[in-house]
Amino acid sequence: MMAKSGPPSKVASGGSERSANTRRSLIDAAIETLKENGFSGASARAIAERAGLNQGLVFYHFGSVSNLLLAALDAVSEDRMIRFNAAIENVSSPNDLMDVAAQIYREDLDTGHVTVLVEMIAGASSTPGLGAEVATRIVPWFAFTKDAIDKTFGDSPFASLLPADDVAYTIVALFLGLEMLTHLDGDRERVLTIFGRAQQLVTMLGAFNAFAPPKETS
Amino acid sequence: MMAKSGPPSKVASGGSERSANTRRSLIDAAIETLKENGFSGASARAIAERAGLNQGLVFYHFGSVSNLLLAALDAVSEDRMIRFNAAIENVSSPNDLMDVAAQIYREDLDTGHVTVLVEMIAGASSTPGLGAEVATRIVPWFAFTKDAIDKTFGDSPFASLLPADDVAYTIVALFLGLEMLTHLDGDRERVLTIFGRAQQLVTMLGAFNAFAPPKETS
DNA sequence: GTCTATACTTGGATAGAC
DNA sequence: GTCTATCCAAGTATAGAC
């Protein structure tokens, strides 16, 4: 039987290596373009130029600019989830979690991965149907955050008052908002000091309620 | 002496009433377009069409699309500041403030005013110089939030641990993030219950620390 | 002074080349 | 199957009409 025709399917199965390389280049360029020029600057031409490829390839490989941007969001999400899961692997106390949260925030600022998410959310209202696609792709971020909270604050007296999924929703919102503001004013340090204060607060409340007995890091 | 020529100045002084009306129509249409179609959908054509005006008027009255969008942001900010200041007029306790915060959030969801801000922040990276302009226009939001915190939490024991301006920065970020997520998933109720829980928490910590003696609303 | 008709540029999408 | 040349729509901006 012969190889099938038409544009390559979303799944990478069977596509030639050349095709896969082109797709990967476009996705990488899309991520960079979203970070530097935002959603409204992420045109097929701008992305293809950055990748050194013909802009028509965007439509051949992904069908539309929106689909390419969603593929870029998928790539970023996957990358982040692997990193996040590794980061909370050995975390058990609220204090550990605060350390990890600050570390992750610092990384996100450097890599600009949250910027991609922010731009996609903000840009979603421009194209019918895009919002739903983006919404689907955020679910893992909520799930991850909720797990991290359960893992560390699960037996705290606050747990009954504050359902983990509502807290997770709030934390994700806070990350997005802080990313936006930091991106705008360029004041990295401010948010890092805010994380420091939050950590003090957690420590204080922990000692107060005796749900997080002081223990040395590691 | 004769009336001066050229495009009308930014300040409304001296401009004819007709000019002022046109400008106002364009600004209103720009706000609506930002809310419904986002930054990337807010083109001169889309805005002018919504206003029932020729798209060339955008450039005559504002010089560029970016300038019109900034004027729209100014209008929204001014409107919100008036409302905010009225809202905290008679507020003194943390509990009152939480009530007002929830009320303001509800209004913002209805009017979509925060959406305008979010879209402008996210869209700022597309055009050189726009970010700085937007940043300037957020300053009053921080200032307002800080004042509200000082007014209600100023004599709380937390005040020394958490500087009001850092808290204000965080609260603004949280509002922006919650707006984004709510806009995306359409789940109004979720955030309102979150506000409810936050209020419980404030009450609890207040009683705990005896800085907010229970008092009936009004 | 205000606005419209027109010029030019960029973007999305595809027909056809390899 | 992969990619490029080309087409048409949408965007910004201005020259010129009123």
Side-chain angles (χ1 to χ4, degrees), chain B residues 142-157:
Chain B
F142 292 134
F144 164 82
T145 307
K146 181 179 180 303
D147 285 349
I149 293 166
D150 280 336
K151 201 172 172 185
T152 51
F153 285 89
D155 48 358
S156 125

Side-chain angles (χ1 to χ4, degrees), chain B residues 3-6 16 19 61:
Chain B
K4 56 183 188 316
S5 312
S16 78
S19 174
H61 286 286

Side-chain angles (χ1 to χ4, degrees), chain A:
Chain A
M1 65 209 59
M2 4 180 2
K4 56 183 188 316
S5 313
S9 72
K10 289 286 169 53
V11 207
S13 63
S16 77
E17 197 173 327
R18 186 182 185 185
S19 173
N21 285 339
T22 303
R23 290 166 59 90
R24 189 68 224 171
S25 296
L26 286 172
I27 289 174
D28 287 344
I31 293 170
E32 287 307 308
T33 308
L34 277 172
K35 287 196 278 194
E36 285 187 29
N37 306 103
F39 182 89
S40 77
S43 68
R45 293 186 124 92
I47 294 168
E49 186 179 16
R50 188 184 288 267
L53 294 169
N54 187 291
Q55 60 86 24
L57 291 170
V58 167
F59 303 94
Y60 172 65
H61 285 288
F62 297 93
S64 69
V65 176
S66 291
N67 281 343
L68 168 54
L69 297 180
L70 285 173
L73 180 55
D74 281 334
V76 166
S77 284
E78 206 173 315
D79 193 69
R80 287 281 80 187
M81 282 307 135
I82 291 171
R83 174 69 189 103
F84 288 176
N85 282 313
I88 62 160
E89 183 99 26
N90 298 316
V91 161
S92 57
S93 76
N95 274 314
D96 288 350
L97 183 60
M98 295 304 292
D99 278 337
V100 167
Q103 175 61 22
I104 280 181
Y105 184 80
R106 203 176 294 124
E107 286 178 18
D108 280 340
L109 273 188
D110 291 336
T111 62
H113 280 160
V114 176
T115 303
V116 171
L117 183 52
V118 165
E119 289 295 331
M120 288 301 290
I121 295 176
S125 53
S126 71
T127 314
L130 187 54
E133 293 293 331
V134 175
T136 300
R137 286 160 173 84
I138 304 189
V139 173
W141 296 59
F142 292 134
F144 164 82
T145 308
K146 181 179 180 301
D147 285 350
I149 293 167
D150 279 336
K151 202 173 169 184
T152 52
F153 286 88
D155 48 358
S156 122
F158 289 110
S160 55
L161 192 63
L162 301 170
D165 59 343
D166 281 349
V167 176
Y169 193 88
T170 307
I171 298 291
V172 171
L174 186 57
F175 260 67
L176 296 179
L178 288 174
E179 209 295 321
M180 289 185 88
L181 289 181
T182 305
H183 194 82
L184 190 67
D185 62 25
D187 191 353
R188 264 181 74 97
E189 294 311 311
R190 172 159 221 158
V191 179
L192 293 177
T193 65
I194 288 175
F195 268 102
R197 298 195 195 289
Q199 184 140 26
Q200 283 181 291
L201 198 67
V202 165
T203 305
M204 204 191 76
L205 291 175
F208 221 30
N209 289 286
F211 67 85
K215 69 176 195 182
E216 62 279 11
T217 38
S218 159

